[in-house]
């Protein structure tokens, strides 16, 4: 079996502690991740963003398991919208 995605592994290992994620658009934000789990190589989790309390976030691996994608659903949204992908992670306390 191929290796697990390294970003997904870091998220899984740090959760439920706060984690700072860097997205592909340059955004850096702190998230509280819960329900982080692997199904074989596929990763999924849910969470909230510290500065966006009203929205829910979902984290899933891409079809090829190379990227972790981020979706957002606000209180007024009827569905999920793609936010981007995660480039880097760090424990929130490290900055």
């Amino acid at each position: 079996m191929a290796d697990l995605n390294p970003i997904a592994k870091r998220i899984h290992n740090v959760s439920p502690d706060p984690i700072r994620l860097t997205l592909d658009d340059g955004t850096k934000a702190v998230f509280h991740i819960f329900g982080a789990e692997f199904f074989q190589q596929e990763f999924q989790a849910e969470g909230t963003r510290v500065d966006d309390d009203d929205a829910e976030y979902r984290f899933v691996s891409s079809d090829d398991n190379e990227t972790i994608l981020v979706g957002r659903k606000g209180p007024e949204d009827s569905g999920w919208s793609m936010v981007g992908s995660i480039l880097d992670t760090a424990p929130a306390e490290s900055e």
Side-chain angles (χ1 to χ4, degrees):
M1 180 184 341
D3 292 333
L4 298 174
N5 181 290
I7 288 176
K9 286 194 307 189
R10 279 182 255 154
I11 292 170
H12 186 269
N13 290 337
V14 170
S15 70
D17 293 338
I19 188 166
R20 183 174 309 282
L21 302 178
T22 303
L23 305 182
D24 59 350
D25 67 357
T27 300
K28 290 185 180 186
V30 175
F31 290 83
H32 292 277
I33 309 288
F34 52 90
E37 54 191 354
F38 285 96
F39 301 96
Q40 301 286 336
Q41 285 182 269
E42 294 178 18
F43 175 78
Q44 74 176 31
E46 294 187 4
T48 57
R49 184 171 157 172
V50 172
D51 60 350
D52 189 11
D53 289 337
D54 294 337
E56 299 174 47
Y57 285 82
R58 187 168 288 164
F59 307 89
V60 297
S61 46
S62 60
D63 288 339
D64 61 6
N65 293 320
E66 295 292 319
T67 306
I68 303 302
L69 306 172
V70 182
R72 179 187 182 278
K73 183 178 179 186
E76 304 298 319
D77 298 334
S78 61
W80 292 91
S81 59
M82 174 65 104
V83 174
S85 62
I86 301 172
L87 295 180
D88 196 21
T89 65
E93 306 82 56
S94 69
E95 291 186 15

